[in-house]
Amino acid sequence: MQNTRLASRRWWYLIPIIFITYSLAYLDRANYGFAAASGMAADLNITPGLSSLLGALFFLGYFFFQVPGAIYAQRRSVKKLIFVSLILWGSLATLTGIIPNVYLLIVIRFLLGVVEAAVMPAMLIYLCHWFTRAERSRANTFLILGNPVTILWMSVVSGYLVEQLDWRWMFIIEGLPAVLWAFVWWRLADDRPSEANWLSDREKDDLQQALAAEQQGLKPVKNYREAFRSPKVILLSVQYFCWSIGVYGLVLWLPSILKDAANLDIVQAGWLSSLPYLAAVIGMLGVSWASDRFQQRKAFVWPPLLIASLAFYGSYALGSEHFWLSYALLVVAGGCMYAPYGPFFAIVPEVLPVNVAGGAMALINSMGALGSFAGSWLVGYLNSATGNPGASFLLMSGALLIAVVLTLLLNPTNGDRPAPLSGRSLQPATNP
């Protein structure tokens, strides 16, 4: 009975805090696409080639600082790292709205990536401190849901802000909440169960014992160097690189693609841009529940990615003459690209011990950032060079197909076999 109460309190206390924090991070990285489609280029004299580079520059800073941030979070404090990051990224996002020239925009976009680099791995580490293996796919999904849910409402709100005010006010209004939320985070977040005054001593002990028991069956790994050389970590890193080309090629440039393809205004483009993320929310919840229910990871990663690859190819084959059919396939692609995030990030802490799992997740995520840089830049470049999105659809389709093949090559792991009966008993009696 104690485990049921404990599980319920963790889900309803922690998940909203985690979700809001990651949502604010995602808001301040993804709204650039709306500014790029709404007058920023003309105001700052940004050429099409430079615009695609600026959209991708965030991920370059993001790439270099993932692992150092994760090591700090694992060895010291997720709470302190996220508090400082919230203030810095909110300030940088707000400053984007008052910059006078493109040179400062280059600096801010890079620094924004540096500041936000540690957020994703730090949050994944944080979830490993609080949730058991049998719950982790769902916990990861509630974190990463901050991505599509944010874009879902941001696509509409940003369109209206740009139309009623301008792109500068969009950045200012959407950047300030992160600074304010930093102080809420500091008040509510606790690094580990032992520090939480909202748990009883019995609940703390039960959770710590359950998490410690999960480490007993894992092969010891001495240090980060050994973990980074693991064939599984290398394979997952390359897979996530290819996967992220598709995700961020769509995220950053979908408003521009829709606006140009159907001669829409920015508000209409915003509404249409939101639907793939509604599909993503539904897909992520369903796939993560099934992954935890059957304790399978790999089997819930590659099929959605294959469907997304085929959908992008279908959009390419249809061309601009069949806009609505092509758009429907983009909705399918968006939903399917997001669906496997929960089970994917549940794989690493199930095959590596806690002393190196955080760094390994950061390395994988940093390769995803590099793929995001490539996808953001190449899609923007191909769209401007060819005058239509056909080539970029082929690029994203091919990258996702490679990700599917690499997932299938992953050897069976703990995360691909049914969990022992003791692991299943740790699941919440009532799923959140």
Side-chain angles (χ1 to χ4, degrees), residues 184-425:
V184 179
W185 164 268
W186 184 259
R187 174 68 181 84
L188 297 179
D190 298 293
D191 269 311
R192 294 180 181 273
S194 60
E195 301 171 12
N197 57 17
W198 47 275
L199 292 178
S200 69
D201 290 340
R202 173 66 182 277
E203 288 172 326
K204 294 176 186 179
D205 291 342
D206 286 348
L207 181 54
Q208 293 288 69
Q209 289 173 17
L211 293 170
E214 293 182 350
Q215 298 297 307
Q216 293 175 5
L218 297 178
K219 179 183 176 182
V221 179
K222 291 185 296 184
N223 50 42
Y224 287 111
R225 178 178 296 180
E226 184 177 338
F228 293 169
R229 293 169 61 186
S230 162
K232 291 186 179 70
V233 172
I234 294 171
L235 185 63
L236 288 169
S237 297
V238 179
Q239 188 268 16
Y240 197 48
F241 172 89
C242 296
W243 180 359
S244 297
I245 289 175
V247 173
Y248 283 93
L250 186 70
V251 166
L252 205 59
W253 297 111
L254 183 60
S256 296
I257 289 171
L258 295 177
K259 186 172 179 288
D260 294 340
N263 295 317
L264 305 173
D265 63 41
I266 193 62
V267 174
Q268 293 170 323
W271 278 104
L272 290 181
S273 296
S274 69
L275 286 186
Y277 305 105
L278 178 60
V281 171
I282 296 168
M284 289 177 73
L285 290 172
V287 167
S288 66
W289 176 86
S291 177
D292 274 349
R293 172 67 179 82
F294 296 103
Q295 282 298 289
Q296 297 284 324
R297 306 307 185 199
K298 174 179 165 179
F300 288 96
V301 172
W302 70 264
L305 296 182
L306 178 60
I307 295 171
S309 174
L310 295 173
F312 274 127
Y313 184 80
S315 288
Y316 159 76
L318 286 169
S320 58
E321 306 84 45
H322 302 88
F323 172 79
W324 291 108
L325 282 175
S326 179
Y327 168 72
L329 288 173
L330 292 181
V331 173
V332 171
C336 289
M337 282 193 298
Y338 276 93
Y341 274 125
F344 179 81
F345 280 107
I347 292 173
V348 176
E350 294 179 358
V351 299
L352 290 175
V354 69
N355 66 308
V356 294
M361 286 190 289
L363 177 65
I364 293 166
N365 204 46
S366 69
M367 289 302 295
L370 200 59
S372 303
F373 174 85
S376 302
W377 179 71
L378 286 171
V379 168
Y381 172 79
L382 289 171
N383 289 346
S384 62
T386 63
N388 66 74
S392 60
F393 289 159
L394 273 182
L395 169 71
M396 291 186 279
S397 176
L400 290 170
L401 190 59
I402 295 171
V404 168
V405 173
L406 292 172
T407 307
L408 290 170
L409 291 175
L410 184 67
N411 290 329
T413 66
N414 293 347
D416 293 307
R417 296 193 294 269
L421 188 59
S422 60
R424 291 187 183 278
S425 67

Side-chain angles (χ1 to χ4, degrees), residues 37-55:
S38 309
M40 174 190 273
D43 290 348
L44 299 182
N45 297 315
I46 303 172
T47 64
L50 184 57
S51 180
S52 61
L53 180 61
L54 279 166

Side-chain angles (χ1 to χ4, degrees), residues 9 12 80 83 113 116 145 220 247 253 283 300 334 349 361 381 399:
R9 295 179 75 173
W12 297 112
K80 292 177 182 177
F83 173 73
E116 289 195 23
L145 271 175
V247 173
W253 297 111
F300 288 96
M361 286 190 289
Y381 172 79

Side-chain angles (χ1 to χ4, degrees), residues 53-168:
L53 180 61
L54 279 166
L57 196 58
F58 168 92
F59 299 105
L60 202 56
Y62 199 77
F63 168 74
F64 285 114
F65 289 88
Q66 287 268 306
V67 174
I71 292 174
Y72 177 90
Q74 186 143 29
R75 292 180 176 175
R76 295 182 179 272
S77 172
V78 174
K79 178 178 178 176
K80 292 177 182 177
L81 180 64
I82 296 299
F83 173 73
V84 173
S85 296
L86 275 161
I87 293 174
L88 291 177
W89 91 58
S91 300
L92 287 167
T94 301
L95 285 173
T96 308
I98 61 176
I99 54 170
N101 57 59
V102 70
Y103 304 107
L104 285 174
L105 180 60
I106 291 171
V107 173
I108 285 178
R109 288 298 294 177
F110 179 77
L111 290 178
L112 191 63
V114 171
V115 170
E116 289 195 23
V119 176
M120 177 68 165
M123 286 300 199
L124 290 169
I125 291 167
Y126 191 72
L127 292 173
C128 289
H129 292 168
W130 285 93
F131 294 94
T132 63
R133 177 182 299 164
E135 306 160 328
R136 206 161 285 147
S137 178
R138 282 165 295 155
N140 290 345
T141 291
F142 281 114
L143 163 67
I144 303 169
L145 271 175
N147 174 324
V149 169
T150 299
I151 300 179
L152 184 62
W153 64 261
M154 182 206 74
S155 296
V156 177
V157 172
S158 296
Y160 277 107
L161 287 175
V162 168
E163 184 183 54
Q164 298 299 320
L165 302 170
D166 61 19
W167 64 268
R168 291 185 180 276

